[in-house]
Amino acid sequence: MQKLKQFIRKYPLSVICIILIWILSFLPFFPETPLDGIQFIDKWTHFIMYGGTCTVIWCEYLRKHTVLDKKKLFLFAWLAPIVMSGIIEILQENCTTTRSGEWLDFISNSTGVTIAVVTGLLIYFIKSLNKNTRHDTLR
């Protein structure tokens, strides 16, 4: 229980985003919007939800750590969100009457997660370059 509290304190925005994904994934309805006419808008929504959530995970991780733990990041910032996405799609298909599980949703989610990993790595390398540049100028 203590570890869970520490995790929530360390990654509060990530936890909120993950909870929101679970809630939104099982709402029985969505209100109509002017964007409904855009082709594949639901796939773009999946891409943005998962990409945004994983970008938040990376930002919170990079704020707290100076060295990347590749195993931890692979597990929690890439694999876990993709597995979560698959579980949600399976549950939507088999446990709800108002939602359906779709392969394209899963692919959109996975693509968003993967793009977030690339974004997180870019942020890390830019941050590292800036740190090294500042360190060199202080000498």
Side-chain angles (χ1 to χ4, degrees):
M1 189 61 142
Q2 186 64 23
K3 286 201 180 235
L4 179 61
K5 286 180 184 179
Q6 287 174 339
F7 182 82
I8 291 171
R9 268 192 235 113
K10 206 171 194 177
Y11 302 102
L13 297 176
S14 300
V15 171
I16 289 169
C17 288
I18 291 166
I19 290 170
L20 282 174
I21 285 176
W22 279 92
I23 290 169
L24 292 172
S25 295
F26 292 99
L27 281 178
F29 64 89
F30 272 94
E32 289 186 30
T33 71
L35 300 176
D36 287 341
I38 297 174
Q39 191 172 14
F40 300 116
I41 189 63
D42 60 324
K43 307 312 173 223
W44 283 108
T45 302
H46 281 264
F47 173 82
I48 290 168
M49 279 190 342
Y50 278 82
T53 295
C54 289
T55 300
V56 169
I57 291 169
W58 270 87
C59 288
E60 287 188 319
Y61 181 87
L62 292 174
R63 187 183 54 163
K64 300 284 185 181
H65 301 86
T66 55
V67 178
L68 297 182
D69 182 337
K70 293 173 188 156
K71 287 180 186 178
K72 206 180 265 188
L73 283 168
F74 170 77
L75 181 63
F76 293 112
W78 186 76
L79 185 61
I82 290 174
V83 169
M84 181 183 87
S85 164
I87 290 169
I88 287 173
E89 293 301 322
I90 290 168
L91 290 173
Q92 285 177 330
E93 182 64 32
N94 295 300
C95 299
T96 68
T97 57
T98 58
R99 304 301 295 266
S100 63
E102 296 182 31
W103 280 106
L104 281 179
D105 288 351
F106 178 73
I107 292 168
S108 297
N109 299 340
S110 300
T111 303
V113 169
T114 303
I115 297 290
V117 169
V118 172
T119 302
L121 288 170
L122 283 172
I123 292 169
Y124 172 75
F125 288 121
I126 289 169
K127 189 176 168 183
S128 295
L129 286 174
N130 287 340
K131 185 177 176 183
N132 290 339
T133 303
R134 276 184 287 182
H135 182 68
D136 288 344
T137 57
L138 295 175
R139 287 183 181 184

